[in-house]
Amino acid sequence: MPKVLLTKAQERQNRASRVLKICIMEQHTDQQQLAKQTGMPYGTLNKRINKPETCKLEELWRILDALNVPAEERAKILM
């Protein structure tokens, strides 16, 4: 089977989505509770987590603040 190479943008998107999902699990919460904490509709939050490239900076900050994500983890999302 041929190896599929991801673009740099796709790798970043996958990494950001993974980090957000791990942070949600570490906080022992789910996307519905997080949506309430951030004041975002569930559908919007779900899309932002699964397709982080659609996320506005203000939305990303609200999500990270609600999850109490430390600076080191925030840096992983932006790399």
Side-chain angles (χ1 to χ4, degrees), residues 36-75:
K36 289 178 186 174
Q37 289 176 321
T38 60
M40 297 170 69
Y42 171 77
T44 301
L45 178 70
N46 185 51
K47 182 177 180 181
R48 300 306 186 248
I49 290 171
N50 290 306
K51 293 189 171 281
E53 68 275 14
T54 66
C55 199
K56 296 175 185 170
L57 189 54
E58 176 60 33
E59 293 170 332
L60 181 59
W61 288 338
R62 286 174 28 204
I63 294 167
L64 296 174
D65 288 344
L67 292 171
N68 300 313
V69 177
E72 305 83 41
E73 291 295 315
R74 291 177 188 229

Side-chain angles (χ1 to χ4, degrees), residues 11-24:
E11 288 176 6
R12 287 177 175 162
Q13 292 162 8
N14 289 344
R15 182 174 42 250
S17 183
R18 242 186 349 266
V19 169
L20 289 172
K21 289 175 182 178
I22 289 169
C23 290
I24 290 170

